[in-house]
Amino acid sequence: QVRLVESGGGSVQAGGSLRVSCLVSGDPRNYLSLGWFRQAPGKEREGVAAIDSNGRSALTDSVKGRFTISRDNAKNTLHLQMNNLKPEDTAMYYCAAGRRLGLYLVADWYNYWGQGTQVTVSS
């Protein structure tokens, strides 16, 4: 079983930065892919970033150049550094883990989910 706990959300003004983190517990062989998703009220869950056990990463187009995904294997932690935040980045951010190796930004790829952390960006 894999458990994910997010932290680090909050409120920031447009142009500011936040880092959200996800503590992952469980056998690393059970989660070859890690990802960040977000969901704004009234909208579908959107894939933001993914990273696999080889360190390869992918970002959705709307956050390229602003967000960075990273993982600290020694601390079993996943991070999402978010810079130059925009009001449209406001959402609940979820950490996800998948048993298969891949960089897919679709929810169906992932098997385990955290409870989410809120990010609010004001204009």
Side-chain angles (χ1 to χ4, degrees):
Q1 187 68 17
V2 177
R3 185 167 177 258
L4 305 123
V5 180
E6 300 95 337
S7 62
S11 297
V12 66
Q13 289 191 327
S17 298
L18 279 175
R19 188 175 80 161
V20 290
S21 299
C22 176
L23 180 63
V24 187
S25 60
D27 189 337
R29 294 173 296 181
N30 289 333
Y31 56 93
L32 300 183
S33 303
L34 292 170
W36 286 102
F37 287 73
R38 65 187 180 186
Q39 189 167 18
K43 294 189 176 182
E44 293 187 356
R45 190 167 293 192
E46 173 192 21
V48 176
I51 189 166
D52 68 16
S53 57
N54 295 322
R56 300 178 305 163
S57 63
L59 297 167
T60 194
D61 286 346
S62 63
V63 306
K64 286 179 180 177
R66 301 189 297 123
F67 290 12
T68 303
I69 186 171
S70 62
R71 60 192 291 173
D72 184 335
N73 292 328
K75 296 183 178 179
N76 298 323
T77 303
L78 177 70
H79 301 291
L80 184 69
Q81 177 67 42
M82 303 180 289
N83 299 327
N84 190 22
L85 281 159
K86 303 176 180 180
E88 51 263 42
D89 295 317
T90 295
M92 185 72 78
Y93 281 70
Y94 297 91
C95 174
R99 289 192 290 262
R100 296 170 291 176
L101 187 68
L103 293 174
Y104 296 101
L105 297 178
V106 290
D108 288 349
W109 183 256
Y110 296 86
N111 307 99
Y112 309 100
W113 293 85
Q115 294 300 308
T117 185
Q118 178 68 36
V119 171
T120 302
V121 185
S122 58
S123 57

